[in-house]
Amino acid sequence: MESLSLYQIIVAALTVIAALNVLLAKNPVVSAMSLMATLFMTGALYFGLGAFFIGAVQVLIYAGAISVLFVFIVMLLDMRPSLVAIPGRTLKVTLMSLAGLVFAAGLGLVVCGAPLQSMTEGDPATASTSLSIAARFLSRYMLPFEVTGLLIFAAVMGAILIGRAHDPSLRQARKDAK
Amino acid sequence: MIEFHLVIALTLFVIGVLGFLTRRSGLTALMCLELMLNGVNLALVTFSRAHGNPDGSALVLFVILVAAAEAALALSILVALFRRTGSDVLDDFRELRG
């Protein structure tokens, strides 16, 4: 097995710290920025694993578009750090955290105990290059690739439809037409 | 190295699950959903590296695309709900409760 490099250890530590900060920050803007940092550091982790194309796509789409979208929504919703305490919330948080930790322990047992199944083996160095991914996309995964285009188109239309502010003059025009 | 990255992916996923279950605001719950998806992506890239098979990385691309579409739609639903009820706290959305 190959050994860990210092780069991978540092980037992994930064990823986990940023992810914890998403969870623990009081201010939602800090949460959104920590999400951006997590996604960026995960991209750096992909670079460490030799998946350069995936790392570039991660930084472009996830850290560059999705987390910026989150920051926009935080600004749009004008969220403030929550100051109001809700009764019964501490019990709920404790119980859900316990359930989450039990789930984590179960997952950890499965992940660390299961042997790696045999798959079609190849050369690890060229596994995730854009050439090999493109070869897969254009032969085996051609249909999901095309359908994903349709999916994104539908998502854009849906987001515009759901999110637009309702125009009162339009409502009046609809009432007059009836 | 493979086990290390699998543990990191598991950590990201578990942090996402814990955050999704315990956060008040819908927006931070959606952020933790993205964390979960990233944990899965990291596991997939790790396995792709372990076996030398590009199928894992191809699936990662699909997951990133679908996550982008899903984030856009979920956020627009959240904004519409916020306009309707004035709050983004998940506990306040009770209209569908029996």
Side-chain angles (χ1 to χ4, degrees):
Chain A
M1 264 291 119
E2 303 142 39
S3 60
L4 276 176
S5 60
L6 184 63
Y7 167 80
Q8 286 173 342
I9 296 179
I10 292 180
V11 169
L14 284 173
T15 312
V16 173
I17 290 173
L20 280 172
N21 205 14
V22 172
L23 188 55
L24 299 173
K26 293 282 188 300
N27 196 345
V29 178
V30 173
S31 233
M33 281 305 175
S34 302
L35 181 70
M36 193 181 283
T38 314
L39 299 172
F40 198 82
M41 285 301 140
T42 314
L45 214 48
Y46 292 154
F47 274 97
L49 277 170
F52 303 112
F53 179 65
I54 303 288
V57 166
Q58 165 91 6
V59 171
L60 266 176
I61 294 184
Y62 250 127
I66 294 182
S67 54
V68 171
L69 187 60
F70 273 105
V71 173
F72 280 169
I73 301 294
V74 167
M75 284 161 36
L76 189 63
L77 297 187
D78 193 21
M79 292 168 64
R80 302 285 160 77
S82 51
L83 301 164
V84 179
I86 294 184
R89 170 139 178 94
T90 318
L91 177 66
K92 191 174 170 187
V93 166
T94 320
L95 284 176
M96 283 189 176
S97 303
L98 274 175
L101 284 170
V102 167
F103 172 65
L107 256 186
L109 278 174
V110 168
V111 165
C112 297
L116 284 179
Q117 301 287 325
S118 61
M119 282 174 69
T120 322
E121 297 282 340
D123 180 19
T126 64
S128 312
T129 55
S130 40
L131 179 64
S132 40
I133 297 177
R136 284 284 190 269
F137 261 46
L138 291 175
S139 59
R140 207 168 150 187
Y141 299 124
M142 176 76 116
L143 180 62
F145 181 51
E146 303 294 337
V147 169
T148 313
L150 275 175
L151 173 82
I152 292 185
F153 180 54
V156 166
M157 282 205 297
I160 292 175
L161 256 168
I162 295 175
R164 71 185 170 151
H166 289 284
D167 198 1
S169 60
L170 265 181
R171 202 172 283 151
Q172 192 58 41
R174 230 179 273 138
K175 276 196 195 136
D176 294 334
K178 277 190 189 160
Chain B
M1 178 173 93
I2 303 296
E3 288 84 10
F4 176 73
H5 286 285
L6 282 182
V7 166
I8 297 296
L10 181 66
T11 312
L12 278 176
F13 186 77
V14 162
I15 291 175
V17 167
L18 282 175
F20 191 73
L21 289 178
T22 59
R23 289 298 266 189
R24 270 184 70 188
S25 166
L27 187 63
T28 28
L30 284 173
M31 287 186 212
C32 296
L33 186 64
E34 299 299 324
L35 274 181
M36 282 194 257
L37 285 167
N38 266 281
V40 169
N41 281 349
L42 185 57
L44 275 170
V45 170
T46 311
F47 283 128
S48 179
R49 167 82 187 212
H51 294 289
N53 200 336
D55 280 337
S57 306
L59 189 56
V60 165
L61 268 174
F62 284 124
V63 171
I64 290 180
L65 286 170
V66 171
E70 167 256 326
L73 274 174
L75 286 172
S76 69
I77 289 178
L78 197 68
V79 165
L81 274 171
F82 181 78
R83 283 208 192 105
R84 198 181 161 87
T85 57
S87 99
D88 61 332
V89 173
L90 287 175
D91 297 328
D92 287 347
F93 303 141
R94 290 174 173 259
E95 285 185 22
L96 285 179
R97 245 177 120 130

